[in-house]
Every structure is written in structure tokens, then in C-alpha cells.
Amino acid sequence: MTKKKPLILVTNDDGITAPGIRTLIEVMKELGDVVVVAPDSPQSGMGHAITISDTLFCEQVTIKENYKHKEYSCSGTPADCVKIATQEILHRKPDLCVSGINHGSNSSINVIYSGTMSAAVEAGVEGIPAIGFSLLDYSLNADFEPARKYVKAITRNVIKNGLPKGVVLNVNIPKLPASEIKGMKVCRQANAQWEEEFDKRTNPQGREYYWLTGKFVNKDKGEDTDEWALEKGYVSVVPVQFDLTAHHFLDDLNNWELND
């Protein structure tokens, strides 16, 4: 008997026409049957936002005439795309969800702001093995070719081995030629953050407005982090869980006199 191909849901946060998702689709077509449900416009930095006070539109589109798989453009967020795909578009639960390839980093603290990773996390919440892929290049002309090898290898492993319940993978790829990428490192999330400032201005009508600015500061000196791996030329692979409980603090919290 011919083994059934895995059904792979592809999404992103840069929009359905972004070069990154086009590369991801091409790689996934080598591994399974692909269905694309992605935002109709960029949704970067949306985190795990969902649409609850507005209508959602989702329609089948043709991006390339020679594509045989189906693609749907959604007016909502990346998390919306996963929800509507699993509940309204697909006839069965997908075997895998991949999100990306994002234009820009989603390492360290960026994971909580990321629309790319939120799509993967939403899939994980729904019991679907999921991976978020990001390339450390914000340019629309970014070269995604060096990422193909690693995207394919990681995806193959997830298809073969699965993922634990409640875990998704956050994969970041350095902006380097293929010959300079040293390989992959399994990492933890670095302790880093954005030191933010607001650039306050006044518009021609006299109304004040703000531009968010700032710099990324890595406070983590460990050599087992995603930031370290990326700086040294490795692809970082971080297992992410969406259970936000601080388990290490439960015993201490239970010793508080909360009921007095």
C-alpha cells in the first residue's frame, strides 16, 4: 500500500504573497499535501491576537497558476488563520502546521510578540505538531535558499518523531550564505529584552503622536541560548511550551497567607 502523505497546513504573519511563505510552500510540497491559509496583509507583531469584534473573510485565491494545492487568504490574524483552517476549511485535522518563513528574528523575547510563532502555538493548542521558521533578514529581497535545507530536515524529523503535547518548535536561521551556516543547535530561549523608548512628535494639526523605538539587549552570557547559536552561525531550535504556569513558584505561593 502507498503510505498516505501528511497533510500540512502552511501559514505566516507577513502575508500570503510574502517571499518567505512562498519558499516554505515549495519545501512542504516535497514532504506532503499542502493547504495554505494565510493573512491577506502583513500581521507582524500581532502576537496571539484573535478577531472577536469584527467579521472575518476567507476566500480561495490563486497566487501562481501552476499550483495544484489550495490557498486561502484570510482577513484575520495568524492565530485566526489556524482557527478557521482547522474548523472551516480542512476536512480533517492536519498532521502538521508550519508558519513562516518569517522576515526577521523571532528568537529570545521576540517569541511572545511574534505572529509567526503565535500561529504555531495556536496549532499546538489544537493538538497539531507545529513549527515556526524565521530568517534573520527583514528585507523583502531576503535570500531564503540557505534556509531550505534546515527547514526540510527539521520538518522531516517532526513528521517522523512527533512532538510532545503542548510543545512547538521555534526555529531561527542566521542571515548567512549556505556555506557559512555551521549546522543546528538545540537551545533555550535567551534572557534578553527590548529597551524601548517612544519618539514623541506633533503632527501638522498639533496632535501629539509616538513612534516606538529601542534597542535589543542580550543579558544572557550562556552558550546554550538561541542568541548565542545565531551569533556563532548556527540555526537555533528552541522547544516552546504554551503552559505559562510558573511551576517552580507554586510551592512558595501556597505558603502565602492568602486566605487570612
PDB file of all heavy atoms in Angstrom, residues 6-12 21 24-25 28 33-38 70 72 78 81-86 89-90 92-100 119 123 126 128-131:
ATOM      1  N   PRO A   6       1.390  13.188   4.598  1.00  0.00           N
ATOM      2  CA  PRO A   6       0.878  14.040   5.675  1.00  0.00           C
ATOM      3  C   PRO A   6       0.221  15.293   5.107  1.00  0.00           C
ATOM      4  O   PRO A   6       0.657  15.827   4.084  1.00  0.00           O
ATOM      5  CB  PRO A   6       2.129  14.385   6.477  1.00  0.00           C
ATOM      6  CG  PRO A   6       3.269  14.195   5.537  1.00  0.00           C
ATOM      7  CD  PRO A   6       2.861  13.090   4.612  1.00  0.00           C
ATOM      8  N   LEU A   7      -0.820  15.728   5.783  1.00  0.00           N
ATOM      9  CA  LEU A   7      -1.492  16.978   5.411  1.00  0.00           C
ATOM     10  C   LEU A   7      -0.826  18.113   6.193  1.00  0.00           C
ATOM     11  O   LEU A   7      -0.803  18.101   7.422  1.00  0.00           O
ATOM     12  CB  LEU A   7      -2.972  16.906   5.743  1.00  0.00           C
ATOM     13  CG  LEU A   7      -3.794  18.178   5.503  1.00  0.00           C
ATOM     14  CD1 LEU A   7      -3.748  18.594   4.039  1.00  0.00           C
ATOM     15  CD2 LEU A   7      -5.236  17.971   5.962  1.00  0.00           C
ATOM     16  N   ILE A   8      -0.288  19.079   5.472  1.00  0.00           N
ATOM     17  CA  ILE A   8       0.481  20.157   6.086  1.00  0.00           C
ATOM     18  C   ILE A   8      -0.225  21.496   5.875  1.00  0.00           C
ATOM     19  O   ILE A   8      -0.455  21.915   4.745  1.00  0.00           O
ATOM     20  CB  ILE A   8       1.905  20.230   5.506  1.00  0.00           C
ATOM     21  CG1 ILE A   8       2.620  18.880   5.672  1.00  0.00           C
ATOM     22  CG2 ILE A   8       2.705  21.347   6.176  1.00  0.00           C
ATOM     23  CD1 ILE A   8       3.979  18.811   5.003  1.00  0.00           C
ATOM     24  N   LEU A   9      -0.554  22.152   6.981  1.00  0.00           N
ATOM     25  CA  LEU A   9      -1.130  23.496   6.941  1.00  0.00           C
ATOM     26  C   LEU A   9       0.015  24.508   6.985  1.00  0.00           C
ATOM     27  O   LEU A   9       0.855  24.465   7.879  1.00  0.00           O
ATOM     28  CB  LEU A   9      -2.062  23.711   8.133  1.00  0.00           C
ATOM     29  CG  LEU A   9      -2.584  25.136   8.353  1.00  0.00           C
ATOM     30  CD1 LEU A   9      -3.419  25.610   7.176  1.00  0.00           C
ATOM     31  CD2 LEU A   9      -3.381  25.213   9.657  1.00  0.00           C
ATOM     32  N   VAL A  10       0.026  25.422   6.012  1.00  0.00           N
ATOM     33  CA  VAL A  10       1.067  26.449   5.936  1.00  0.00           C
ATOM     34  C   VAL A  10       0.441  27.817   6.176  1.00  0.00           C
ATOM     35  O   VAL A  10      -0.579  28.157   5.578  1.00  0.00           O
ATOM     36  CB  VAL A  10       1.776  26.431   4.559  1.00  0.00           C
ATOM     37  CG1 VAL A  10       2.853  27.517   4.496  1.00  0.00           C
ATOM     38  CG2 VAL A  10       2.393  25.065   4.289  1.00  0.00           C
ATOM     39  N   THR A  11       1.066  28.600   7.039  1.00  0.00           N
ATOM     40  CA  THR A  11       0.592  29.950   7.319  1.00  0.00           C
ATOM     41  C   THR A  11       1.784  30.856   7.607  1.00  0.00           C
ATOM     42  O   THR A  11       2.941  30.423   7.548  1.00  0.00           O
ATOM     43  CB  THR A  11      -0.424  29.934   8.489  1.00  0.00           C
ATOM     44  OG1 THR A  11      -1.028  31.222   8.604  1.00  0.00           O
ATOM     45  CG2 THR A  11       0.251  29.563   9.799  1.00  0.00           C
ATOM     46  N   ASN A  12       1.518  32.126   7.928  1.00  0.00           N
ATOM     47  CA  ASN A  12       2.604  33.046   8.277  1.00  0.00           C
ATOM     48  C   ASN A  12       2.014  34.319   8.886  1.00  0.00           C
ATOM     49  O   ASN A  12       0.818  34.392   9.159  1.00  0.00           O
ATOM     50  CB  ASN A  12       3.465  33.381   7.057  1.00  0.00           C
ATOM     51  CG  ASN A  12       2.786  34.328   6.068  1.00  0.00           C
ATOM     52  OD1 ASN A  12       1.572  34.543   6.111  1.00  0.00           O
ATOM     53  ND2 ASN A  12       3.565  34.888   5.157  1.00  0.00           N
ATOM     54  N   ILE A  21       6.890  32.790   2.758  1.00  0.00           N
ATOM     55  CA  ILE A  21       5.896  31.713   2.730  1.00  0.00           C
ATOM     56  C   ILE A  21       5.939  30.984   1.395  1.00  0.00           C
ATOM     57  O   ILE A  21       5.678  29.774   1.326  1.00  0.00           O
ATOM     58  CB  ILE A  21       4.472  32.233   3.022  1.00  0.00           C
ATOM     59  CG1 ILE A  21       3.544  31.059   3.387  1.00  0.00           C
ATOM     60  CG2 ILE A  21       3.901  33.028   1.867  1.00  0.00           C
ATOM     61  CD1 ILE A  21       2.171  31.477   3.866  1.00  0.00           C
ATOM     62  N   LEU A  24       8.579  28.425   1.862  1.00  0.00           N
ATOM     63  CA  LEU A  24       8.106  27.391   2.776  1.00  0.00           C
ATOM     64  C   LEU A  24       7.140  26.440   2.064  1.00  0.00           C
ATOM     65  O   LEU A  24       7.205  25.215   2.252  1.00  0.00           O
ATOM     66  CB  LEU A  24       7.427  28.032   3.979  1.00  0.00           C
ATOM     67  CG  LEU A  24       7.028  27.099   5.124  1.00  0.00           C
ATOM     68  CD1 LEU A  24       8.228  26.345   5.673  1.00  0.00           C
ATOM     69  CD2 LEU A  24       6.344  27.897   6.238  1.00  0.00           C
ATOM     70  N   ILE A  25       6.268  26.981   1.244  1.00  0.00           N
ATOM     71  CA  ILE A  25       5.323  26.153   0.487  1.00  0.00           C
ATOM     72  C   ILE A  25       6.069  25.171  -0.415  1.00  0.00           C
ATOM     73  O   ILE A  25       5.736  23.972  -0.481  1.00  0.00           O
ATOM     74  CB  ILE A  25       4.372  27.036  -0.341  1.00  0.00           C
ATOM     75  CG1 ILE A  25       3.419  27.810   0.576  1.00  0.00           C
ATOM     76  CG2 ILE A  25       3.591  26.198  -1.348  1.00  0.00           C
ATOM     77  CD1 ILE A  25       2.686  28.943  -0.111  1.00  0.00           C
ATOM     78  N   MET A  28       7.507  22.360   1.642  1.00  0.00           N
ATOM     79  CA  MET A  28       6.470  21.476   2.181  1.00  0.00           C
ATOM     80  C   MET A  28       5.850  20.596   1.102  1.00  0.00           C
ATOM     81  O   MET A  28       5.445  19.461   1.382  1.00  0.00           O
ATOM     82  CB  MET A  28       5.380  22.292   2.871  1.00  0.00           C
ATOM     83  CG  MET A  28       5.845  22.979   4.151  1.00  0.00           C
ATOM     84  SD  MET A  28       6.566  21.866   5.371  1.00  0.00           S
ATOM     85  CE  MET A  28       8.261  22.493   5.411  1.00  0.00           C
ATOM     86  N   ASP A  33       0.986  16.835   1.455  1.00  0.00           N
ATOM     87  CA  ASP A  33      -0.080  17.580   0.778  1.00  0.00           C
ATOM     88  C   ASP A  33      -0.286  18.905   1.511  1.00  0.00           C
ATOM     89  O   ASP A  33      -0.479  18.934   2.731  1.00  0.00           O
ATOM     90  CB  ASP A  33      -1.375  16.772   0.794  1.00  0.00           C
ATOM     91  CG  ASP A  33      -1.269  15.508  -0.040  1.00  0.00           C
ATOM     92  OD1 ASP A  33      -0.581  15.543  -1.076  1.00  0.00           O
ATOM     93  OD2 ASP A  33      -1.864  14.481   0.352  1.00  0.00           O
ATOM     94  N   VAL A  34      -0.250  19.983   0.767  1.00  0.00           N
ATOM     95  CA  VAL A  34      -0.217  21.324   1.348  1.00  0.00           C
ATOM     96  C   VAL A  34      -1.546  22.047   1.169  1.00  0.00           C
ATOM     97  O   VAL A  34      -2.149  22.006   0.094  1.00  0.00           O
ATOM     98  CB  VAL A  34       0.917  22.151   0.708  1.00  0.00           C
ATOM     99  CG1 VAL A  34       0.823  23.624   1.097  1.00  0.00           C
ATOM    100  CG2 VAL A  34       2.277  21.583   1.111  1.00  0.00           C
ATOM    101  N   VAL A  35      -1.973  22.715   2.241  1.00  0.00           N
ATOM    102  CA  VAL A  35      -3.056  23.692   2.170  1.00  0.00           C
ATOM    103  C   VAL A  35      -2.545  24.961   2.848  1.00  0.00           C
ATOM    104  O   VAL A  35      -1.989  24.904   3.949  1.00  0.00           O
ATOM    105  CB  VAL A  35      -4.340  23.202   2.868  1.00  0.00           C
ATOM    106  CG1 VAL A  35      -5.397  24.308   2.852  1.00  0.00           C
ATOM    107  CG2 VAL A  35      -4.874  21.954   2.198  1.00  0.00           C
ATOM    108  N   VAL A  36      -2.721  26.088   2.196  1.00  0.00           N
ATOM    109  CA  VAL A  36      -2.249  27.365   2.716  1.00  0.00           C
ATOM    110  C   VAL A  36      -3.428  28.207   3.182  1.00  0.00           C
ATOM    111  O   VAL A  36      -4.395  28.387   2.438  1.00  0.00           O
ATOM    112  CB  VAL A  36      -1.459  28.153   1.637  1.00  0.00           C
ATOM    113  CG1 VAL A  36      -0.971  29.489   2.193  1.00  0.00           C
ATOM    114  CG2 VAL A  36      -0.305  27.324   1.106  1.00  0.00           C
ATOM    115  N   VAL A  37      -3.356  28.681   4.416  1.00  0.00           N
ATOM    116  CA  VAL A  37      -4.307  29.670   4.915  1.00  0.00           C
ATOM    117  C   VAL A  37      -3.480  30.736   5.601  1.00  0.00           C
ATOM    118  O   VAL A  37      -2.878  30.500   6.647  1.00  0.00           O
ATOM    119  CB  VAL A  37      -5.326  29.068   5.906  1.00  0.00           C
ATOM    120  CG1 VAL A  37      -6.343  30.142   6.318  1.00  0.00           C
ATOM    121  CG2 VAL A  37      -6.037  27.866   5.308  1.00  0.00           C
ATOM    122  N   ALA A  38      -3.422  31.919   5.015  1.00  0.00           N
ATOM    123  CA  ALA A  38      -2.514  32.958   5.500  1.00  0.00           C
ATOM    124  C   ALA A  38      -3.182  34.328   5.419  1.00  0.00           C
ATOM    125  O   ALA A  38      -4.138  34.524   4.662  1.00  0.00           O
ATOM    126  CB  ALA A  38      -1.225  32.946   4.681  1.00  0.00           C
ATOM    127  N   LYS A  70      -4.357  24.061  -2.658  1.00  0.00           N
ATOM    128  CA  LYS A  70      -5.301  25.143  -2.426  1.00  0.00           C
ATOM    129  C   LYS A  70      -4.719  26.183  -1.475  1.00  0.00           C
ATOM    130  O   LYS A  70      -4.017  25.851  -0.517  1.00  0.00           O
ATOM    131  CB  LYS A  70      -6.610  24.590  -1.860  1.00  0.00           C
ATOM    132  CG  LYS A  70      -7.390  23.749  -2.854  1.00  0.00           C
ATOM    133  CD  LYS A  70      -8.702  23.265  -2.267  1.00  0.00           C
ATOM    134  CE  LYS A  70      -9.497  22.444  -3.289  1.00  0.00           C
ATOM    135  NZ  LYS A  70     -10.776  21.964  -2.725  1.00  0.00           N
ATOM    136  N   TYR A  72      -5.798  29.909   0.671  1.00  0.00           N
ATOM    137  CA  TYR A  72      -6.876  30.772   1.145  1.00  0.00           C
ATOM    138  C   TYR A  72      -6.281  32.011   1.801  1.00  0.00           C
ATOM    139  O   TYR A  72      -5.352  31.925   2.608  1.00  0.00           O
ATOM    140  CB  TYR A  72      -7.745  30.021   2.155  1.00  0.00           C
ATOM    141  CG  TYR A  72      -8.439  28.819   1.580  1.00  0.00           C
ATOM    142  CD1 TYR A  72      -7.779  27.595   1.508  1.00  0.00           C
ATOM    143  CD2 TYR A  72      -9.745  28.905   1.104  1.00  0.00           C
ATOM    144  CE1 TYR A  72      -8.409  26.475   0.971  1.00  0.00           C
ATOM    145  CE2 TYR A  72     -10.386  27.787   0.567  1.00  0.00           C
ATOM    146  CZ  TYR A  72      -9.701  26.585   0.503  1.00  0.00           C
ATOM    147  OH  TYR A  72     -10.327  25.487  -0.023  1.00  0.00           O
ATOM    148  N   PRO A  78      -2.682  35.755  12.277  1.00  0.00           N
ATOM    149  CA  PRO A  78      -2.157  34.398  12.087  1.00  0.00           C
ATOM    150  C   PRO A  78      -2.897  33.349  12.917  1.00  0.00           C
ATOM    151  O   PRO A  78      -3.176  32.249  12.424  1.00  0.00           O
ATOM    152  CB  PRO A  78      -0.692  34.542  12.521  1.00  0.00           C
ATOM    153  CG  PRO A  78      -0.351  35.957  12.183  1.00  0.00           C
ATOM    154  CD  PRO A  78      -1.593  36.733  12.515  1.00  0.00           C
ATOM    155  N   CYS A  81      -6.056  32.495  11.296  1.00  0.00           N
ATOM    156  CA  CYS A  81      -5.858  31.640  10.119  1.00  0.00           C
ATOM    157  C   CYS A  81      -5.861  30.171  10.510  1.00  0.00           C
ATOM    158  O   CYS A  81      -6.453  29.328   9.824  1.00  0.00           O
ATOM    159  CB  CYS A  81      -4.546  31.998   9.419  1.00  0.00           C
ATOM    160  SG  CYS A  81      -4.560  33.601   8.585  1.00  0.00           S
ATOM    161  N   VAL A  82      -5.181  29.852  11.604  1.00  0.00           N
ATOM    162  CA  VAL A  82      -5.134  28.460  12.054  1.00  0.00           C
ATOM    163  C   VAL A  82      -6.516  28.010  12.510  1.00  0.00           C
ATOM    164  O   VAL A  82      -6.975  26.910  12.186  1.00  0.00           O
ATOM    165  CB  VAL A  82      -4.097  28.289  13.174  1.00  0.00           C
ATOM    166  CG1 VAL A  82      -4.144  26.874  13.749  1.00  0.00           C
ATOM    167  CG2 VAL A  82      -2.695  28.598  12.642  1.00  0.00           C
ATOM    168  N   LYS A  83      -7.203  28.863  13.259  1.00  0.00           N
ATOM    169  CA  LYS A  83      -8.541  28.515  13.747  1.00  0.00           C
ATOM    170  C   LYS A  83      -9.506  28.243  12.591  1.00  0.00           C
ATOM    171  O   LYS A  83     -10.232  27.248  12.578  1.00  0.00           O
ATOM    172  CB  LYS A  83      -9.081  29.640  14.630  1.00  0.00           C
ATOM    173  CG  LYS A  83      -8.445  29.736  16.010  1.00  0.00           C
ATOM    174  CD  LYS A  83      -9.046  30.891  16.793  1.00  0.00           C
ATOM    175  CE  LYS A  83      -8.497  30.980  18.201  1.00  0.00           C
ATOM    176  NZ  LYS A  83      -8.914  29.839  19.040  1.00  0.00           N
ATOM    177  N   ILE A  84      -9.540  29.143  11.633  1.00  0.00           N
ATOM    178  CA  ILE A  84     -10.512  28.994  10.543  1.00  0.00           C
ATOM    179  C   ILE A  84     -10.127  27.843   9.615  1.00  0.00           C
ATOM    180  O   ILE A  84     -10.980  27.168   9.046  1.00  0.00           O
ATOM    181  CB  ILE A  84     -10.680  30.321   9.769  1.00  0.00           C
ATOM    182  CG1 ILE A  84     -12.048  30.338   9.073  1.00  0.00           C
ATOM    183  CG2 ILE A  84      -9.545  30.566   8.784  1.00  0.00           C
ATOM    184  CD1 ILE A  84     -12.478  31.717   8.615  1.00  0.00           C
ATOM    185  N   ALA A  85      -8.821  27.591   9.504  1.00  0.00           N
ATOM    186  CA  ALA A  85      -8.372  26.461   8.682  1.00  0.00           C
ATOM    187  C   ALA A  85      -8.839  25.142   9.265  1.00  0.00           C
ATOM    188  O   ALA A  85      -9.380  24.281   8.552  1.00  0.00           O
ATOM    189  CB  ALA A  85      -6.850  26.468   8.573  1.00  0.00           C
ATOM    190  N   THR A  86      -8.656  24.972  10.563  1.00  0.00           N
ATOM    191  CA  THR A  86      -8.985  23.701  11.191  1.00  0.00           C
ATOM    192  C   THR A  86     -10.490  23.493  11.352  1.00  0.00           C
ATOM    193  O   THR A  86     -10.956  22.359  11.345  1.00  0.00           O
ATOM    194  CB  THR A  86      -8.302  23.582  12.568  1.00  0.00           C
ATOM    195  OG1 THR A  86      -8.671  24.698  13.385  1.00  0.00           O
ATOM    196  CG2 THR A  86      -6.790  23.562  12.420  1.00  0.00           C
ATOM    197  N   ILE A  89     -12.132  24.964   6.853  1.00  0.00           N
ATOM    198  CA  ILE A  89     -11.571  24.709   5.524  1.00  0.00           C
ATOM    199  C   ILE A  89     -11.123  23.266   5.339  1.00  0.00           C
ATOM    200  O   ILE A  89     -11.458  22.618   4.343  1.00  0.00           O
ATOM    201  CB  ILE A  89     -10.397  25.672   5.242  1.00  0.00           C
ATOM    202  CG1 ILE A  89     -10.927  27.111   5.172  1.00  0.00           C
ATOM    203  CG2 ILE A  89      -9.671  25.297   3.951  1.00  0.00           C
ATOM    204  CD1 ILE A  89      -9.863  28.159   5.085  1.00  0.00           C
ATOM    205  N   LEU A  90     -10.367  22.740   6.291  1.00  0.00           N
ATOM    206  CA  LEU A  90      -9.834  21.381   6.166  1.00  0.00           C
ATOM    207  C   LEU A  90     -10.888  20.356   6.575  1.00  0.00           C
ATOM    208  O   LEU A  90     -11.691  20.590   7.474  1.00  0.00           O
ATOM    209  CB  LEU A  90      -8.587  21.230   7.036  1.00  0.00           C
ATOM    210  CG  LEU A  90      -7.450  22.210   6.722  1.00  0.00           C
ATOM    211  CD1 LEU A  90      -6.297  22.003   7.685  1.00  0.00           C
ATOM    212  CD2 LEU A  90      -6.970  22.040   5.281  1.00  0.00           C
ATOM    213  N   ARG A  92     -10.068  17.366   7.698  1.00  0.00           N
ATOM    214  CA  ARG A  92      -9.527  16.602   8.809  1.00  0.00           C
ATOM    215  C   ARG A  92      -8.416  17.410   9.475  1.00  0.00           C
ATOM    216  O   ARG A  92      -7.901  18.370   8.888  1.00  0.00           O
ATOM    217  CB  ARG A  92      -8.994  15.242   8.337  1.00  0.00           C
ATOM    218  CG  ARG A  92      -7.780  15.313   7.382  1.00  0.00           C
ATOM    219  CD  ARG A  92      -7.353  13.912   6.999  1.00  0.00           C
ATOM    220  NE  ARG A  92      -6.248  13.877   6.050  1.00  0.00           N
ATOM    221  CZ  ARG A  92      -4.964  13.809   6.399  1.00  0.00           C
ATOM    222  NH1 ARG A  92      -4.621  13.824   7.689  1.00  0.00           N
ATOM    223  NH2 ARG A  92      -4.020  13.756   5.470  1.00  0.00           N
ATOM    224  N   LYS A  93      -8.076  17.033  10.689  1.00  0.00           N
ATOM    225  CA  LYS A  93      -7.005  17.735  11.390  1.00  0.00           C
ATOM    226  C   LYS A  93      -5.693  17.552  10.626  1.00  0.00           C
ATOM    227  O   LYS A  93      -5.335  16.422  10.259  1.00  0.00           O
ATOM    228  CB  LYS A  93      -6.851  17.202  12.811  1.00  0.00           C
ATOM    229  CG  LYS A  93      -5.728  17.894  13.596  1.00  0.00           C
ATOM    230  CD  LYS A  93      -5.467  17.246  14.937  1.00  0.00           C
ATOM    231  CE  LYS A  93      -6.562  17.565  15.928  1.00  0.00           C
ATOM    232  NZ  LYS A  93      -6.185  17.109  17.300  1.00  0.00           N
ATOM    233  N   PRO A  94      -4.968  18.638  10.363  1.00  0.00           N
ATOM    234  CA  PRO A  94      -3.690  18.474   9.667  1.00  0.00           C
ATOM    235  C   PRO A  94      -2.691  17.700  10.521  1.00  0.00           C
ATOM    236  O   PRO A  94      -2.753  17.712  11.750  1.00  0.00           O
ATOM    237  CB  PRO A  94      -3.226  19.917   9.431  1.00  0.00           C
ATOM    238  CG  PRO A  94      -3.959  20.729  10.431  1.00  0.00           C
ATOM    239  CD  PRO A  94      -5.263  20.040  10.661  1.00  0.00           C
ATOM    240  N   ASP A  95      -1.770  17.044   9.859  1.00  0.00           N
ATOM    241  CA  ASP A  95      -0.731  16.297  10.564  1.00  0.00           C
ATOM    242  C   ASP A  95       0.369  17.214  11.061  1.00  0.00           C
ATOM    243  O   ASP A  95       1.142  16.850  11.960  1.00  0.00           O
ATOM    244  CB  ASP A  95      -0.135  15.240   9.630  1.00  0.00           C
ATOM    245  CG  ASP A  95      -1.187  14.259   9.153  1.00  0.00           C
ATOM    246  OD1 ASP A  95      -1.690  13.493  10.002  1.00  0.00           O
ATOM    247  OD2 ASP A  95      -1.511  14.273   7.955  1.00  0.00           O
ATOM    248  N   LEU A  96       0.441  18.407  10.491  1.00  0.00           N
ATOM    249  CA  LEU A  96       1.495  19.357  10.838  1.00  0.00           C
ATOM    250  C   LEU A  96       1.069  20.758  10.441  1.00  0.00           C
ATOM    251  O   LEU A  96       0.365  20.943   9.451  1.00  0.00           O
ATOM    252  CB  LEU A  96       2.790  18.982  10.092  1.00  0.00           C
ATOM    253  CG  LEU A  96       3.999  19.896  10.289  1.00  0.00           C
ATOM    254  CD1 LEU A  96       4.566  19.725  11.695  1.00  0.00           C
ATOM    255  CD2 LEU A  96       5.071  19.573   9.250  1.00  0.00           C
ATOM    256  N   CYS A  97       1.493  21.749  11.213  1.00  0.00           N
ATOM    257  CA  CYS A  97       1.341  23.154  10.836  1.00  0.00           C
ATOM    258  C   CYS A  97       2.713  23.802  10.843  1.00  0.00           C
ATOM    259  O   CYS A  97       3.462  23.672  11.821  1.00  0.00           O
ATOM    260  CB  CYS A  97       0.411  23.880  11.809  1.00  0.00           C
ATOM    261  SG  CYS A  97       0.276  25.681  11.488  1.00  0.00           S
ATOM    262  N   VAL A  98       3.054  24.481   9.750  1.00  0.00           N
ATOM    263  CA  VAL A  98       4.307  25.233   9.699  1.00  0.00           C
ATOM    264  C   VAL A  98       3.982  26.699   9.422  1.00  0.00           C
ATOM    265  O   VAL A  98       3.098  27.006   8.628  1.00  0.00           O
ATOM    266  CB  VAL A  98       5.277  24.681   8.632  1.00  0.00           C
ATOM    267  CG1 VAL A  98       5.798  23.308   9.040  1.00  0.00           C
ATOM    268  CG2 VAL A  98       4.626  24.613   7.261  1.00  0.00           C
ATOM    269  N   SER A  99       4.699  27.570  10.100  1.00  0.00           N
ATOM    270  CA  SER A  99       4.450  29.007   9.989  1.00  0.00           C
ATOM    271  C   SER A  99       5.739  29.719   9.612  1.00  0.00           C
ATOM    272  O   SER A  99       6.794  29.460  10.169  1.00  0.00           O
ATOM    273  CB  SER A  99       3.932  29.531  11.327  1.00  0.00           C
ATOM    274  OG  SER A  99       3.628  30.908  11.258  1.00  0.00           O
ATOM    275  N   GLY A 100       5.657  30.641   8.628  1.00  0.00           N
ATOM    276  CA  GLY A 100       6.844  31.372   8.190  1.00  0.00           C
ATOM    277  C   GLY A 100       6.974  31.311   6.674  1.00  0.00           C
ATOM    278  O   GLY A 100       5.973  31.133   5.990  1.00  0.00           O
ATOM    279  N   ALA A 119       0.879  31.644  15.465  1.00  0.00           N
ATOM    280  CA  ALA A 119       0.171  30.693  14.603  1.00  0.00           C
ATOM    281  C   ALA A 119       0.586  29.268  14.953  1.00  0.00           C
ATOM    282  O   ALA A 119      -0.251  28.365  15.052  1.00  0.00           O
ATOM    283  CB  ALA A 119       0.467  30.991  13.140  1.00  0.00           C
ATOM    284  N   ALA A 123      -1.759  26.251  16.698  1.00  0.00           N
ATOM    285  CA  ALA A 123      -1.848  24.877  16.203  1.00  0.00           C
ATOM    286  C   ALA A 123      -1.542  23.893  17.322  1.00  0.00           C
ATOM    287  O   ALA A 123      -2.229  22.875  17.475  1.00  0.00           O
ATOM    288  CB  ALA A 123      -0.886  24.679  15.031  1.00  0.00           C
ATOM    289  N   GLU A 126      -4.329  23.285  19.569  1.00  0.00           N
ATOM    290  CA  GLU A 126      -5.338  22.431  18.955  1.00  0.00           C
ATOM    291  C   GLU A 126      -4.842  21.003  18.728  1.00  0.00           C
ATOM    292  O   GLU A 126      -5.481  20.207  18.046  1.00  0.00           O
ATOM    293  CB  GLU A 126      -5.808  23.057  17.644  1.00  0.00           C
ATOM    294  CG  GLU A 126      -6.448  24.427  17.854  1.00  0.00           C
ATOM    295  CD  GLU A 126      -7.092  24.995  16.602  1.00  0.00           C
ATOM    296  OE1 GLU A 126      -7.520  24.190  15.748  1.00  0.00           O
ATOM    297  OE2 GLU A 126      -7.182  26.232  16.490  1.00  0.00           O
ATOM    298  N   ILE A 128      -1.989  19.985  17.222  1.00  0.00           N
ATOM    299  CA  ILE A 128      -1.308  19.770  15.947  1.00  0.00           C
ATOM    300  C   ILE A 128       0.184  20.036  16.134  1.00  0.00           C
ATOM    301  O   ILE A 128       0.562  21.118  16.607  1.00  0.00           O
ATOM    302  CB  ILE A 128      -1.858  20.720  14.867  1.00  0.00           C
ATOM    303  CG1 ILE A 128      -3.371  20.550  14.725  1.00  0.00           C
ATOM    304  CG2 ILE A 128      -1.148  20.502  13.533  1.00  0.00           C
ATOM    305  CD1 ILE A 128      -4.035  21.712  13.988  1.00  0.00           C
ATOM    306  N   PRO A 129       1.073  19.109  15.796  1.00  0.00           N
ATOM    307  CA  PRO A 129       2.512  19.403  15.831  1.00  0.00           C
ATOM    308  C   PRO A 129       2.804  20.636  14.972  1.00  0.00           C
ATOM    309  O   PRO A 129       2.255  20.759  13.868  1.00  0.00           O
ATOM    310  CB  PRO A 129       3.156  18.144  15.238  1.00  0.00           C
ATOM    311  CG  PRO A 129       2.137  17.070  15.434  1.00  0.00           C
ATOM    312  CD  PRO A 129       0.795  17.740  15.303  1.00  0.00           C
ATOM    313  N   ALA A 130       3.634  21.535  15.476  1.00  0.00           N
ATOM    314  CA  ALA A 130       3.811  22.808  14.773  1.00  0.00           C
ATOM    315  C   ALA A 130       5.229  23.345  14.908  1.00  0.00           C
ATOM    316  O   ALA A 130       5.908  23.122  15.913  1.00  0.00           O
ATOM    317  CB  ALA A 130       2.815  23.846  15.294  1.00  0.00           C
ATOM    318  N   ILE A 131       5.637  24.087  13.875  1.00  0.00           N
ATOM    319  CA  ILE A 131       6.970  24.699  13.826  1.00  0.00           C
ATOM    320  C   ILE A 131       6.834  26.112  13.280  1.00  0.00           C
ATOM    321  O   ILE A 131       6.122  26.337  12.294  1.00  0.00           O
ATOM    322  CB  ILE A 131       7.925  23.929  12.891  1.00  0.00           C
ATOM    323  CG1 ILE A 131       7.786  22.412  13.068  1.00  0.00           C
ATOM    324  CG2 ILE A 131       9.367  24.384  13.122  1.00  0.00           C
ATOM    325  CD1 ILE A 131       8.423  21.617  11.942  1.00  0.00           C
TER     326      ILE A 131
END
